[in-house]
Amino acid sequence: MIFPHLHSYTLSPRSRLALISPQLQSLSMDFELLPTVSLRSRSFNALTAPREMFIQALNRNLNLQRFKVLYVTGNSSAILSRLDRRFEALEIRRGFTVFQLMTILEEAHHSLILIEHDPLLYEDAREMTEYVSHALSDAAKEAAVLLYAPGIDPFFEDLVQNADRVFCFEEGPRETPRLVAKAHPRARENQRTLEAYS
């Protein structure tokens, strides 16, 4: 197990709960990002997965725009430029320092908060990972929070100390290989039938 102090769960696919009224939104919704990754309201979730897998998950879930979604990135993002252009209702904030990230989390009033992990923020502030972990947990009292990283690093391990659930994927789902048999034109010309050898 990668995180001996954490419990990792594999969830079965869920159907979205019907929303009774806008006031009850934050009480009654799950965000199904992937068939095995469902983000509950008021929970702090962490996900490690290949970038392509995360990008496809967001692009296939354009209905997330029905909710107030905040996307938080650090100094740079490998995800934002690859999102579907129809993903318009997405508020984007950049945290260039740990303190800016914590302020963004404190001021957020969204149903879903997606944070793209930037390890560069913590290189000179390793001791701040504990505070950011608490800030993520506090933000999850009002929203579904997802901390995403393409892989695990020591900073990410510290940040997920207070996570409710951690999902780890080493590789995305594989497509079924298709066998394509084509005879090269020259090979066909040189082919001989068995009769030629009898």
Side-chain angles (χ1 to χ4, degrees):
M1 184 178 244
I2 298 170
F3 304 108
H5 54 282
L6 294 174
H7 299 287
S8 181
Y9 300 95
T10 302
L11 303 177
S12 59
R14 300 169 189 266
S15 58
R16 280 190 189 80
L17 300 175
L19 299 178
I20 299 166
S21 70
Q23 291 80 14
L24 296 177
Q25 266 191 352
S26 64
L27 300 175
S28 60
M29 68 180 127
D30 282 7
F31 302 95
E32 192 170 307
L33 191 63
L34 293 162
T36 55
V37 178
S38 184
L39 311 177
R40 294 181 188 145
S41 294
R42 299 181 177 186
S43 68
F44 168 23
N45 308 272
L47 168 69
T48 62
R51 283 192 185 98
E52 197 60 41
M53 183 179 178
F54 185 58
I55 292 164
Q56 287 178 12
L58 292 176
N59 285 338
R60 288 177 182 156
N61 286 282
L62 296 178
N63 58 341
L64 290 176
Q65 296 183 101
R66 294 185 300 142
F67 310 101
K68 283 186 76 176
V69 182
L70 173 64
Y71 192 95
V72 184
T73 182
N75 294 293
S76 62
S77 172
I79 307 296
L80 287 176
S81 63
R82 308 264 318 274
L83 290 184
D84 191 304
R85 290 183 181 184
R86 293 173 293 161
F87 217 134
E88 296 171 349
L90 183 70
E91 185 179 339
I92 299 167
R93 300 277 309 269
R94 289 189 185 275
F96 295 104
T97 67
V98 171
F99 299 103
Q100 287 179 351
L101 173 59
M102 291 174 65
T103 301
I104 291 167
L105 292 170
E106 187 178 321
E107 295 173 351
H109 298 288
H110 298 75
S111 305
L112 176 60
I113 303 172
L114 305 171
I115 302 104
E116 186 178 345
H117 174 57
D118 182 357
L120 295 177
L121 294 182
Y122 308 98
E123 285 194 345
D124 296 323
R126 175 72 186 256
E127 70 284 355
M128 294 302 293
T129 54
E130 182 181 347
Y131 297 102
V132 175
S133 182
H134 286 295
L136 291 163
S137 190
D138 287 344
K141 291 175 182 173
E142 300 296 327
V145 174
L146 176 67
L147 175 65
Y148 164 74
I152 297 167
D153 60 58
F155 305 122
F156 185 85
E157 286 185 347
D158 291 346
L159 291 170
V160 301
Q161 294 285 339
N162 295 304
D164 297 306
R165 290 179 296 172
V166 176
F167 303 94
C168 299
F169 294 89
E170 290 183 8
E171 57 184 39
R174 295 182 182 179
E175 291 184 15
T176 307
R178 293 183 303 162
L179 296 175
V180 180
K182 291 185 178 177
H184 193 276
R186 288 184 180 244
R188 264 190 257 126
E189 289 172 9
N190 295 334
Q191 279 182 342
R192 299 183 183 197
T193 62
L194 290 175
E195 294 172 5
Y197 297 99
S198 53

